[in-house]
Amino acid sequence: MAEFTMELNDDQKQVRDWIHGFAADVIRPAAAEWDEREETPWPVIQEAAKVGIYSLDFYAQQFFDPTGLGIPMAMEELFWGDAGIALSIVGTGLAAIGVLSNGTEEQIGTWIPQMYGTPDDVKVAAFCSSEPDAGSDVGAMRTRAVYDQAADEWVLNGTKTWATNGGIAGVHIVVAVVDPELGTKGHASFIVPPGTPGLSQGQKFKKHGIRASHTAEVVLEDVRIPGSCLLGGKEKLDERLARAREKAKAGGGERVKNAAMATFEASRPAVGAMAVGTARAAYEVALDYAKTRTQFGRPIIDNQGVAFQLADMRTQIDAARLLVWRASWMAIAGKPFTAAEGSMSKLYASEVAKKVTAQAVQILGGNGFTREYPVERMHRDAAIYTIFEGTSEIQRLVIARTLSGMSIR
């Protein structure tokens, strides 16, 4: 087990610089165009695949970095480039984590490569959990999965929403209810293979920020998938459901993680790293602007009102990064989040991103309010971090419950 460190080793620095170069040379020049077009930037994803950034091998190497810093380091640099394009590049990762967290070795080996495709024929994948009436309240999920024993198939019906890559993905990972009486303990995750009849794209959302990332509804109408597409397998599911039913009968309070929560818990520090990248990008633009913009015969950074804001911005960004790195190291080291450190990192980093990008707009003044400067886009993009993969309010609830041991509502 690697000890926690705040210093990247030489190999990690080399990877960081490589990703930073791609973000600076390929992502940033394309950011404004794809934000305006509000379309998936397939050419940029393909370029990322050609150099090896959009690939299973790359994410596996970063995921299994023994220090735990591979993924947050990569996320920060990509999202420093542009949040919308970066999310299009890494969005498949959430579906991949869903398979890694809940799937068998055979499922991992079979389906994750199909999520990415090849550099000449890139694919994307989608993780589908949220529903019109079930966002933070996963217990309100209505999508149902019913097992057809005679055919050894699962039949899925329902509507998912807010799905990154939803409808345009090849592989969809869908969380559904298999036993409504067990609440969130009666959920399971399913692989919907490419071209499966009954799955279609619903509404595509026009968003405030991260416009280059495709977000849509996914409609499931009598979608039949092989029994082998239940993540983890039916034997494991039956055992888990049986334990949950026994606990329910006995009035036991054992908490059983459902499929969606296992995925989100693993990805929260990575989302924090995305927020750090966006915040850092906005801070750097504001710092450069403050050093070159003159008013009353001197650079505006000579004024304490501006300089102190920049000092606070940098301090908060560094603090957010440390929380993200700590949680990432704890996860790879197998240390339990006894104080909900994963949620802490996501909560603080996302709030910092919103605050820092707003301050950057203010420092640039009227220029910051125009699309001639990127902080306007960064400010819009930052709004998503306090919303997706668990709102800030939900993160606070998770932290408070963990600290108190109480079922705070």
Side-chain angles (χ1 to χ4, degrees), residues 186-223:
H187 295 180
S189 288
F190 299 86
I191 304 160
V192 181
T196 300
L199 184 147
S200 62
Q201 179 184 308
Q203 176 186 4
K204 177 187 174 182
F205 296 103
K206 298 182 72 67
K207 305 187 298 295
H208 175 66
I210 55 167
R211 294 177 178 178
S213 173
H214 176 95
T215 310
E217 290 181 331
V218 174
V219 180
L220 304 131
E221 297 179 311
D222 291 328
V223 172

Tab-separated table of all heavy atoms in Angstrom, residues 186-223:
chain	number	residue	atom	x	y	z
A	186	GLY	N	-33.615	-3.351	-3.332
A	186	GLY	CA	-34.151	-4.196	-4.388
A	186	GLY	C	-33.781	-3.738	-5.775
A	186	GLY	O	-34.466	-4.061	-6.747
A	187	HIS	N	-32.682	-2.985	-5.893
A	187	HIS	CA	-32.208	-2.502	-7.193
A	187	HIS	C	-31.092	-3.401	-7.723
A	187	HIS	O	-30.380	-4.046	-6.956
A	187	HIS	CB	-31.675	-1.068	-7.083
A	187	HIS	CG	-32.711	-0.050	-6.733
A	187	HIS	ND1	-32.422	1.287	-6.592
A	187	HIS	CD2	-34.047	-0.169	-6.502
A	187	HIS	CE1	-33.525	1.949	-6.285
A	187	HIS	NE2	-34.521	1.087	-6.214
A	188	ALA	N	-30.948	-3.408	-9.041
A	188	ALA	CA	-29.852	-4.138	-9.686
A	188	ALA	C	-29.473	-3.391	-10.958
A	188	ALA	O	-30.233	-2.567	-11.471
A	188	ALA	CB	-30.263	-5.573	-10.009
A	189	SER	N	-28.267	-3.674	-11.462
A	189	SER	CA	-27.781	-3.027	-12.690
A	189	SER	C	-27.743	-4.031	-13.833
A	189	SER	O	-27.400	-5.206	-13.628
A	189	SER	CB	-26.384	-2.447	-12.476
A	189	SER	OG	-26.422	-1.313	-11.654
A	190	PHE	N	-28.053	-3.539	-15.034
A	190	PHE	CA	-28.146	-4.403	-16.210
A	190	PHE	C	-27.372	-3.796	-17.377
A	190	PHE	O	-27.328	-2.582	-17.547
A	190	PHE	CB	-29.606	-4.600	-16.615
A	190	PHE	CG	-30.442	-5.252	-15.558
A	190	PHE	CD1	-31.045	-4.491	-14.561
A	190	PHE	CD2	-30.618	-6.629	-15.547
A	190	PHE	CE1	-31.808	-5.097	-13.567
A	190	PHE	CE2	-31.377	-7.237	-14.568
A	190	PHE	CZ	-31.966	-6.477	-13.574
A	191	ILE	N	-26.799	-4.658	-18.182
A	191	ILE	CA	-26.137	-4.261	-19.416
A	191	ILE	C	-27.140	-4.379	-20.558
A	191	ILE	O	-27.698	-5.452	-20.782
A	191	ILE	CB	-24.933	-5.166	-19.715
A	191	ILE	CG1	-23.948	-5.163	-18.548
A	191	ILE	CG2	-24.252	-4.759	-21.017
A	191	ILE	CD1	-23.004	-6.354	-18.551
A	192	VAL	N	-27.361	-3.275	-21.260
A	192	VAL	CA	-28.200	-3.324	-22.457
A	192	VAL	C	-27.251	-3.231	-23.657
A	192	VAL	O	-26.649	-2.185	-23.902
A	192	VAL	CB	-29.234	-2.192	-22.497
A	192	VAL	CG1	-30.092	-2.310	-23.747
A	192	VAL	CG2	-30.115	-2.236	-21.247
A	193	PRO	N	-27.095	-4.336	-24.409
A	193	PRO	CA	-26.137	-4.355	-25.520
A	193	PRO	C	-26.533	-3.413	-26.647
A	193	PRO	O	-27.699	-2.996	-26.765
A	193	PRO	CB	-26.174	-5.820	-25.988
A	193	PRO	CG	-26.722	-6.589	-24.822
A	193	PRO	CD	-27.697	-5.658	-24.173
A	194	PRO	N	-25.571	-3.063	-27.505
A	194	PRO	CA	-25.871	-2.194	-28.656
A	194	PRO	C	-26.956	-2.791	-29.542
A	194	PRO	O	-26.993	-3.997	-29.780
A	194	PRO	CB	-24.531	-2.142	-29.409
A	194	PRO	CG	-23.494	-2.476	-28.393
A	194	PRO	CD	-24.144	-3.435	-27.445
A	195	GLY	N	-27.861	-1.933	-30.004
A	195	GLY	CA	-28.883	-2.355	-30.948
A	195	GLY	C	-30.026	-3.155	-30.360
A	195	GLY	O	-30.829	-3.725	-31.113
A	196	THR	N	-30.135	-3.193	-29.038
A	196	THR	CA	-31.223	-3.955	-28.418
A	196	THR	C	-32.573	-3.301	-28.719
A	196	THR	O	-32.760	-2.110	-28.459
A	196	THR	CB	-31.027	-4.039	-26.895
A	196	THR	OG1	-29.789	-4.695	-26.613
A	196	THR	CG2	-32.165	-4.819	-26.242
A	197	PRO	N	-33.537	-4.043	-29.265
A	197	PRO	CA	-34.855	-3.468	-29.559
A	197	PRO	C	-35.544	-2.968	-28.292
A	197	PRO	O	-35.418	-3.565	-27.220
A	197	PRO	CB	-35.620	-4.646	-30.166
A	197	PRO	CG	-34.565	-5.567	-30.692
A	197	PRO	CD	-33.424	-5.452	-29.727
A	198	GLY	N	-36.265	-1.863	-28.422
A	198	GLY	CA	-37.042	-1.318	-27.318
A	198	GLY	C	-36.354	-0.181	-26.590
A	198	GLY	O	-37.005	0.549	-25.839
A	199	LEU	N	-35.047	-0.016	-26.773
A	199	LEU	CA	-34.350	1.118	-26.163
A	199	LEU	C	-34.273	2.248	-27.177
A	199	LEU	O	-33.835	2.050	-28.322
A	199	LEU	CB	-32.947	0.728	-25.710
A	199	LEU	CG	-32.151	1.811	-24.966
A	199	LEU	CD1	-31.228	1.189	-23.913
A	199	LEU	CD2	-31.330	2.689	-25.904
A	200	SER	N	-34.667	3.447	-26.758
A	200	SER	CA	-34.632	4.596	-27.658
A	200	SER	C	-34.277	5.853	-26.876
A	200	SER	O	-34.412	5.905	-25.651
A	200	SER	CB	-35.983	4.783	-28.359
A	200	SER	OG	-37.006	5.042	-27.405
A	201	GLN	N	-33.829	6.855	-27.609
A	201	GLN	CA	-33.534	8.140	-26.996
A	201	GLN	C	-34.803	8.968	-26.906
A	201	GLN	O	-35.550	9.084	-27.868
A	201	GLN	CB	-32.487	8.894	-27.806
A	201	GLN	CG	-32.146	10.274	-27.237
A	201	GLN	CD	-31.170	11.036	-28.108
A	201	GLN	OE1	-30.117	10.515	-28.466
A	201	GLN	NE2	-31.501	12.271	-28.472
A	202	GLY	N	-35.035	9.540	-25.731
A	202	GLY	CA	-36.141	10.464	-25.562
A	202	GLY	C	-35.678	11.884	-25.800
A	202	GLY	O	-34.937	12.156	-26.739
A	203	GLN	N	-36.065	12.769	-24.926
A	203	GLN	CA	-35.715	14.174	-25.066
A	203	GLN	C	-34.215	14.386	-24.893
A	203	GLN	O	-33.603	13.879	-23.960
A	203	GLN	CB	-36.471	15.000	-24.018
A	203	GLN	CG	-36.106	16.474	-23.994
A	203	GLN	CD	-36.761	17.217	-22.845
A	203	GLN	OE1	-37.435	16.627	-22.005
A	203	GLN	NE2	-36.557	18.527	-22.787
A	204	LYS	N	-33.610	15.151	-25.810
A	204	LYS	CA	-32.241	15.613	-25.612
A	204	LYS	C	-32.313	16.988	-24.956
A	204	LYS	O	-33.011	17.880	-25.438
A	204	LYS	CB	-31.485	15.702	-26.933
A	204	LYS	CG	-30.068	16.250	-26.751
A	204	LYS	CD	-29.356	16.507	-28.066
A	204	LYS	CE	-28.012	17.186	-27.829
A	204	LYS	NZ	-27.286	17.506	-29.075
A	205	PHE	N	-31.582	17.166	-23.861
A	205	PHE	CA	-31.689	18.399	-23.093
A	205	PHE	C	-30.750	19.478	-23.623
A	205	PHE	O	-29.589	19.218	-23.926
A	205	PHE	CB	-31.379	18.124	-21.612
A	205	PHE	CG	-32.360	17.205	-20.962
A	205	PHE	CD1	-32.046	15.871	-20.734
A	205	PHE	CD2	-33.620	17.651	-20.587
A	205	PHE	CE1	-32.947	15.014	-20.150
A	205	PHE	CE2	-34.540	16.800	-20.000
A	205	PHE	CZ	-34.207	15.474	-19.784
A	206	LYS	N	-31.280	20.704	-23.715
A	206	LYS	CA	-30.465	21.875	-24.018
A	206	LYS	C	-30.092	22.494	-22.684
A	206	LYS	O	-30.966	22.921	-21.932
A	206	LYS	CB	-31.243	22.853	-24.909
A	206	LYS	CG	-31.609	22.256	-26.261
A	206	LYS	CD	-32.341	23.249	-27.139
A	206	LYS	CE	-31.432	24.341	-27.670
A	206	LYS	NZ	-30.425	23.831	-28.619
A	207	LYS	N	-28.791	22.551	-22.401
A	207	LYS	CA	-28.349	22.811	-21.043
A	207	LYS	C	-27.693	24.180	-20.868
A	207	LYS	O	-27.229	24.800	-21.815
A	207	LYS	CB	-27.358	21.716	-20.604
A	207	LYS	CG	-27.908	20.291	-20.749
A	207	LYS	CD	-26.978	19.265	-20.159
A	207	LYS	CE	-25.615	19.205	-20.808
A	207	LYS	NZ	-25.668	18.749	-22.223
A	208	HIS	N	-27.635	24.602	-19.627
A	208	HIS	CA	-26.992	25.853	-19.220
A	208	HIS	C	-25.486	25.777	-19.450
A	208	HIS	O	-24.862	26.741	-19.894
A	208	HIS	CB	-27.301	26.088	-17.736
A	208	HIS	CG	-26.619	27.258	-17.121
A	208	HIS	ND1	-26.873	28.558	-17.485
A	208	HIS	CD2	-25.665	27.327	-16.133
A	208	HIS	CE1	-26.135	29.380	-16.754
A	208	HIS	NE2	-25.392	28.662	-15.937
A	209	GLY	N	-24.897	24.651	-19.128
A	209	GLY	CA	-23.458	24.452	-19.276
A	209	GLY	C	-23.157	23.055	-19.792
A	209	GLY	O	-24.062	22.314	-20.178
A	210	ILE	N	-21.874	22.694	-19.809
A	210	ILE	CA	-21.373	21.426	-20.374
A	210	ILE	C	-22.144	21.045	-21.646
A	210	ILE	O	-22.576	19.919	-21.826
A	210	ILE	CB	-21.365	20.275	-19.348
A	210	ILE	CG1	-22.740	20.060	-18.702
A	210	ILE	CG2	-20.307	20.484	-18.296
A	210	ILE	CD1	-22.851	18.750	-17.915
A	211	ARG	N	-22.276	22.019	-22.541
A	211	ARG	CA	-23.125	21.839	-23.716
A	211	ARG	C	-22.558	20.848	-24.721
A	211	ARG	O	-23.298	20.296	-25.542
A	211	ARG	CB	-23.339	23.189	-24.400
A	211	ARG	CG	-24.151	24.186	-23.570
A	211	ARG	CD	-24.245	25.511	-24.302
A	211	ARG	NE	-25.044	26.484	-23.563
A	211	ARG	CZ	-25.236	27.733	-23.985
A	211	ARG	NH1	-24.676	28.142	-25.111
A	211	ARG	NH2	-25.966	28.564	-23.283
A	212	ALA	N	-21.242	20.646	-24.686
A	212	ALA	CA	-20.642	19.705	-25.630
A	212	ALA	C	-20.845	18.257	-25.208
A	212	ALA	O	-20.474	17.338	-25.936
A	212	ALA	CB	-19.144	19.995	-25.784
A	213	SER	N	-21.431	18.058	-24.041
A	213	SER	CA	-21.731	16.708	-23.558
A	213	SER	C	-23.208	16.407	-23.788
A	213	SER	O	-24.079	17.193	-23.415
A	213	SER	CB	-21.394	16.599	-22.068
A	213	SER	OG	-21.815	15.362	-21.541
A	214	HIS	N	-23.470	15.266	-24.419
A	214	HIS	CA	-24.840	14.863	-24.760
A	214	HIS	C	-25.558	14.351	-23.509
A	214	HIS	O	-25.082	13.430	-22.834
A	214	HIS	CB	-24.771	13.762	-25.817
A	214	HIS	CG	-26.093	13.179	-26.210
A	214	HIS	ND1	-26.804	13.614	-27.307
A	214	HIS	CD2	-26.832	12.176	-25.663
A	214	HIS	CE1	-27.916	12.905	-27.417
A	214	HIS	NE2	-27.952	12.033	-26.427
A	215	THR	N	-26.708	14.934	-23.207
A	215	THR	CA	-27.523	14.514	-22.063
A	215	THR	C	-28.954	14.311	-22.545
A	215	THR	O	-29.541	15.213	-23.156
A	215	THR	CB	-27.512	15.576	-20.946
A	215	THR	OG1	-26.167	15.945	-20.660
A	215	THR	CG2	-28.171	15.043	-19.684
A	216	ALA	N	-29.522	13.139	-22.265
A	216	ALA	CA	-30.855	12.846	-22.810
A	216	ALA	C	-31.599	11.836	-21.954
A	216	ALA	O	-31.034	11.206	-21.059
A	216	ALA	CB	-30.719	12.310	-24.242
A	217	GLU	N	-32.890	11.695	-22.260
A	217	GLU	CA	-33.700	10.625	-21.682
A	217	GLU	C	-33.426	9.321	-22.435
A	217	GLU	O	-33.086	9.332	-23.624
A	217	GLU	CB	-35.183	10.956	-21.795
A	217	GLU	CG	-35.652	12.090	-20.916
A	217	GLU	CD	-37.148	12.339	-21.062
A	217	GLU	OE1	-37.696	12.067	-22.147
A	217	GLU	OE2	-37.755	12.807	-20.093
A	218	VAL	N	-33.603	8.225	-21.738
A	218	VAL	CA	-33.518	6.899	-22.348
A	218	VAL	C	-34.816	6.166	-22.032
A	218	VAL	O	-35.183	6.008	-20.862
A	218	VAL	CB	-32.308	6.098	-21.821
A	218	VAL	CG1	-32.328	4.670	-22.355
A	218	VAL	CG2	-31.008	6.787	-22.209
A	219	VAL	N	-35.523	5.767	-23.064
A	219	VAL	CA	-36.819	5.108	-22.908
A	219	VAL	C	-36.642	3.608	-23.138
A	219	VAL	O	-36.036	3.182	-24.130
A	219	VAL	CB	-37.848	5.677	-23.905
A	219	VAL	CG1	-39.202	4.990	-23.737
A	219	VAL	CG2	-37.980	7.188	-23.715
A	220	LEU	N	-37.168	2.818	-22.202
A	220	LEU	CA	-37.072	1.365	-22.286
A	220	LEU	C	-38.482	0.779	-22.365
A	220	LEU	O	-39.280	0.921	-21.436
A	220	LEU	CB	-36.351	0.803	-21.056
A	220	LEU	CG	-34.953	1.386	-20.818
A	220	LEU	CD1	-34.794	1.830	-19.383
A	220	LEU	CD2	-33.880	0.377	-21.171
A	221	GLU	N	-38.801	0.148	-23.495
A	221	GLU	CA	-40.122	-0.422	-23.726
A	221	GLU	C	-39.975	-1.910	-24.047
A	221	GLU	O	-39.562	-2.270	-25.156
A	221	GLU	CB	-40.827	0.306	-24.864
A	221	GLU	CG	-41.100	1.769	-24.583
A	221	GLU	CD	-41.778	2.473	-25.742
A	221	GLU	OE1	-41.302	2.335	-26.889
A	221	GLU	OE2	-42.797	3.152	-25.502
A	222	ASP	N	-40.281	-2.735	-23.061
A	222	ASP	CA	-40.151	-4.191	-23.220
A	222	ASP	C	-38.777	-4.575	-23.780
A	222	ASP	O	-38.658	-5.342	-24.740
A	222	ASP	CB	-41.260	-4.740	-24.121
A	222	ASP	CG	-42.625	-4.672	-23.463
A	222	ASP	OD1	-42.677	-4.789	-22.222
A	222	ASP	OD2	-43.623	-4.486	-24.174
A	223	VAL	N	-37.758	-4.019	-23.180
A	223	VAL	CA	-36.379	-4.305	-23.584
A	223	VAL	C	-35.982	-5.659	-22.995
A	223	VAL	O	-35.939	-5.833	-21.782
A	223	VAL	CB	-35.420	-3.204	-23.095
A	223	VAL	CG1	-33.962	-3.603	-23.341
A	223	VAL	CG2	-35.720	-1.884	-23.787
